[in-house]
Each structure stands twice: as structure tokens, then as C-alpha cells.
Amino acid sequence: MGSPADSVNRIRVATNAEPRGQFNHEQIRNGVEMIFQGLGLDVHDPRIVGTPDRVARMYDEIFAGLLVDPADVLDTTFNEGHEDIVLVRDIPFASVCEHHLIPFFGKAHVGYLPNKDGHIAGLSKIARVVDVVAKRPQLQERITTEVADVLEKKLSPRGVIVQIEAEHLCMNMRGVRKPGAITVTSSVRGLMRSDPRTRAEVMSLIHGGRL
């Protein structure tokens, strides 16, 4: 079993931010043991006896976003006077569906039009926002909305677009059992929505077109 300091460090590394608290590993371990017992497994079996602790330590990483405000990631902006679209495309992410606790994963495209003062964020920070928002029990639709909310809150842009494409293992392994099916969600705001030319430009950039 790791120490509380080890737990905080795993969360810090996973998010590149200072966590606000830590998870209760004892409760997580007890919960995993109860699941095993519900499945009729012997929790003292040498093959699984260490699993509850491994799951607790894993949750430090895959749910680290619960302990970090994604807006804190965009704590620094730059006044560059940039007026045109900024787009970070094909940001890989992984999350866990809150309905079944099964992973889903894919890529996000995040773009914005800077405000009239030309404030921009570091490109790595945009990817980090996606990562922090995804590291929670989540829904794809909510990730899409929350990333857009963070950009609006911290950058006050003239327009925002967030598009996410993901494959859900809860659709692959159970239910309809359709491996390879991709779910696409988007949040489009400001000039990205109201100005057809701007929207067409950013969609062309997202899908690899050359202007």
C-alpha cells in the first residue's frame, strides 16, 4: 500500500496540477472486495488478493480530474494580438463511463477565436484541459460541454468549438455489441456557430482540409 504522499503525487503527475484533497483508498479497497464477494470469488485468493489496492492506486490516476479544477490549468494567458482561429486537433483522451464504469476513448478537437484583445493560451494547456475533464467518471456529451465552458470562462473568446470522437467499450462489450462504432459530439458557440464562413473554416481544419 502506498502512502498518502504517494497518492497525492500520482494525482499531481496525472494532472500537472495541485490536487484539492485525495481519495479514500480504504473505502475503494473495501468496495472492490465487496464486488469480488458478490461475484462469488474468494478475496484471499493469491491471484486477486492485491487487486483492491491496485485499483485504489489506479483511481488516483484515471479519476485525478475530480480533485482538480480544469479552469486552473488555464492560469496563464498571453496577449499576442492574435485574431484568427487557434485549433488543437486530434487530442487523445481516455475516460470512464459513469453508467457502467467501463472506459471510452478517442480524440478531441478544440478551437477558439481569441477575444478582441488577442488573448491566447499555451497549446499544451488546451490539451491538458481535455485530459483533466476526462479524468472523471464521465459522459462524452458532458466532456464536450465542460471543455467549452472552461475556454469561455478563462479566455472570453469570440467563438469556441469542441468536437469529440470516441469509441465506448460499453457499446462493444455489452448491450448492442457494436465494436468500432464512433460517437461524435460537439459544442459550437459564438462566431463559430453564427458565422457560416468561420464555421466552415474551422470544420475544414478539423477534418484535414487545406484552405
Side-chain angles (χ1 to χ4, degrees), residues 33-158:
E33 288 186 355
M34 290 179 66
I35 291 173
F36 280 158
Q37 290 168 341
L39 294 172
L41 298 175
D42 178 5
V43 297
H44 302 295
D45 186 321
R47 294 173 295 181
I48 62 173
V49 70
T51 297
D53 188 56
R54 285 190 290 268
V55 171
R57 287 184 277 115
M58 177 185 69
Y59 281 1
D60 282 341
E61 299 178 52
I62 67 173
F63 294 141
L66 288 169
L67 301 177
V68 174
D69 184 344
D72 291 345
V73 175
L74 293 180
D75 55 358
T76 302
T77 61
F78 307 94
N79 187 358
E80 293 295 323
H82 188 76
E83 298 181 351
D84 297 316
I85 293 170
V86 177
L87 173 70
V88 183
R89 194 176 71 179
D90 298 327
I91 303 168
F93 77 92
S95 191
V96 176
C97 170
E98 67 182 27
H99 292 164
H100 304 100
L101 291 183
I102 297 177
F104 64 98
F105 54 90
K107 57 187 178 181
H109 316 294
V110 181
Y112 65 96
L113 274 172
N115 62 21
K116 60 183 178 62
D117 297 319
H119 286 152
I120 62 171
L123 299 181
S124 65
K125 301 295 187 181
I126 301 298
R128 183 67 67 180
V129 168
V130 173
D131 202 37
V132 169
V133 171
K135 287 183 183 299
R136 306 171 177 190
Q138 271 288 17
L139 297 176
Q140 179 176 336
E141 296 88 344
R142 188 184 303 129
I143 294 175
T144 310
T145 299
E146 289 183 349
V147 172
D149 288 344
V150 171
L151 265 65
E152 283 200 318
K153 176 182 178 180
K154 299 297 288 189
L155 299 178
S156 300
R158 290 172 291 148

Side-chain angles (χ1 to χ4, degrees), residues 152-183:
E152 283 200 318
K153 176 182 178 180
K154 299 297 288 189
L155 299 178
S156 300
R158 290 172 291 148
V160 171
I161 185 167
V162 179
Q163 185 176 96
I164 294 180
E165 306 163 28
E167 185 170 352
H168 294 249
L169 293 188
C170 59
M171 290 180 63
N172 293 3
M173 299 172 63
R174 57 164 300 283
V176 296
R177 294 185 176 86
K178 297 298 181 183
I182 302 296
T183 299

Side-chain angles (χ1 to χ4, degrees), residues 194-206:
S194 63
D195 182 11
R197 292 182 62 182
T198 301
R199 182 163 182 163
E201 179 181 356
V202 74
M203 292 304 292
S204 177
L205 290 170
I206 286 174

